[in-house]
Amino acid sequence: MIKYFTFGISISFISWIVGMIFNNILMKTEYYEKISNLNFIKNRKLNKTIGINQFKWIVKNTFFKFFNQKIKLENKNTDLIEIRKEMTIAEISHLIGFVFVTIIAIYMSVTKNYLYGPSIMIVNIIMNLYPSLLQQENKRRLDILIKRQAKTVANSK
């Protein structure tokens, strides 16, 4: 059973690279704009129920905080539009990675052992789906700041 989780961790790390590669390809298509505003869970209470806040704490307080340094609000002069773009890249890359690992999990369940897939999917949810859901929540919060900033700029003119 441990080897299933170990394989899940390994393939999830690999899926991050696969996600980035396919995301770069997808960015050049007309469909990217459509999928850049995905919103799977709109309800903040449901996000809290499934543990997104705890996941956010883990990302902020462990080595994961060093992974994507482009997604940081440093000060009030930070370009919010650029940060949102980077969040979208991370979100879609993780979703692509999630689909990639899901396909592998199904294959491994069918060809190797039926416990292989669920073990891999537990790791996949934590390492790909939750980061994507966190980015969606962060983008919703950031959109509020962007609108507020736009109103401030418009009122100052």
Side-chain angles (χ1 to χ4, degrees):
M1 193 70 161
I2 297 287
K3 72 176 184 177
Y4 301 161
F5 284 109
T6 305
F7 180 77
I9 291 168
S10 300
I11 200 68
S12 290
F13 273 114
I14 291 168
S15 76
W16 292 352
I17 297 166
V18 170
M20 286 186 279
I21 291 168
F22 279 97
N23 188 46
N24 281 333
I25 294 167
L26 195 59
M27 286 172 77
K28 296 175 176 104
T29 68
E30 61 191 54
Y31 303 106
Y32 196 76
E33 184 64 34
K34 293 177 185 175
I35 63 171
S36 66
N37 292 309
L38 296 174
N39 205 356
F40 295 135
I41 301 175
K42 296 177 184 177
N43 187 329
R44 289 184 100 180
K45 190 174 182 179
L46 182 57
N47 268 342
K48 187 176 181 180
T49 302
I50 64 171
I52 293 295
N53 290 343
Q54 290 83 350
F55 185 77
K56 184 188 314 184
W57 185 90
I58 291 168
V59 170
K60 286 172 64 175
N61 296 296
T62 64
F63 66 93
F64 288 109
K65 69 182 170 188
F66 299 112
F67 278 180
N68 196 343
Q69 293 294 304
K70 293 179 182 179
I71 303 176
K72 253 188 188 168
L73 288 174
E74 297 290 332
N75 54 45
K76 291 185 178 186
N77 296 330
T78 305
D79 184 0
L80 299 179
I81 302 294
E82 187 62 31
I83 288 181
R84 190 183 193 291
K85 179 183 164 199
E86 292 297 329
M87 286 178 171
T88 301
I89 291 169
E91 170 198 358
I92 293 173
S93 294
H94 278 293
L95 284 175
I96 292 167
F98 181 77
V99 171
F100 173 75
V101 174
T102 300
I103 292 167
I104 290 172
I106 291 168
Y107 174 78
M108 296 302 273
S109 282
V110 171
T111 61
K112 301 283 184 202
N113 183 333
Y114 69 93
L115 287 178
Y116 229 127
S119 301
I120 294 169
M121 284 306 294
I122 290 169
V123 176
N124 190 26
I125 288 168
I126 294 167
M127 292 181 70
N128 279 314
L129 184 60
Y130 268 49
S132 187
L133 293 175
L134 178 60
Q135 292 304 338
Q136 287 180 11
E137 180 178 310
N138 288 340
K139 283 183 358 185
R140 286 192 299 272
R141 292 174 39 226
L142 191 64
D143 286 342
I144 293 169
L145 290 175
I146 290 170
K147 286 178 186 174
R148 196 177 297 161
Q149 189 179 55
K151 280 183 184 179
T152 304
V153 170
N155 289 339
S156 66
K157 288 183 181 183

